[in-house]
Amino acid sequence: MPDRRDDYFTELAAQRRASTHTLAAYRRDLAKLLAFAGERELHTLGVSDIRRALMSLHSKELAPRSLARTLSGWRGYYAWLARHGHIAVNPTDGVKAPRRPRTLPKALGVDQVAAMLDAQPDDELEMRDAAMFELFYSSGLRLAELVSLDLSMGREMLEGEVRVTGKRGKTRIVPVGDKARTAIAHWLQQRTAIAAADELALFVSRNGNRLGCRQVELRLARWAQKAGVGVHVHPHMLRHSFASHVLQSSGDLRAVQDMLGHASISATQIYTHLDFQHLAKVYDQAHPRAKVK
């Protein structure tokens, strides 16, 4: 049977609208299996081969989360082969990755966020940074969603909302708070002097071109350190903080799901655990009989 991997990735990109990042991850997953298979074609592997391949990766001290991610990539490819009649049996059926510990996303406290976002920018690039970080926390955007924003969307944000396209090409509209709108307005006043004449991006680098994901990560870490937050802050932490703080205040899980762009409510329910942790801490500190003295 001819190699069908190119057809698989073409369908992922065209029909499922998988992002470049997702496609690259799936290619890495299959590359690991190809390395294990050697001269054998992937469609000839059986259940025992998949288990041995997984054990081989485990012996290299690959983390349980990475093993689960890799096995998921293999499952997707073999499910596609089976669906198109290229194989009779999916060799990944019944194969389980090592159990991974349940970890909660890390969120900043309200006071930590305030200390970081209240820091005053010193120059034009820091005005850009302030607008980006206010928007992360105001609207719960993903990093890829933020860097893909265009100038026209920035002008729309001044009206109080932003339309973003998330995973699998799904579009949603999320509110933009007053402080974020103010920061964006200040950045728009400075952007003209920095951006290239034909650049469509809302957030640009000092060279005038669209800002990349890694640049945003580095600038946020630098900003948090400068503000004395005391922990390493990454973009997704601001998204987690947004979700946790809105849920704590409103208790509306469905609204948080819509704003985050989660396809399933189960993905949003993780924040109920964060909320419970907050309530448990308050209880332990306040209830006279919560702790043995």
Side-chain angles (χ1 to χ4, degrees), residues 58-94:
H58 184 59
S59 70
K60 297 176 182 177
E61 299 185 350
L62 205 66
R65 181 180 295 275
S66 297
L67 289 172
R69 160 66 258 179
T70 300
L71 179 58
S72 176
W74 297 351
R75 282 200 182 103
Y77 177 62
Y78 281 112
W80 180 85
L81 288 177
R83 191 165 61 250
H84 287 78
H86 300 311
I87 57 174
V89 178
N90 185 336
T92 63
D93 285 346

Side-chain angles (χ1 to χ4, degrees), residues 172-191:
R172 69 186 190 280
I173 298 175
V174 291
V176 179
D178 288 344
K179 289 185 179 296
R181 294 205 303 268
T182 299
I184 290 166
H186 289 160
W187 161 240
L188 289 176
Q189 293 174 0
Q190 304 297 325
R191 181 190 175 280

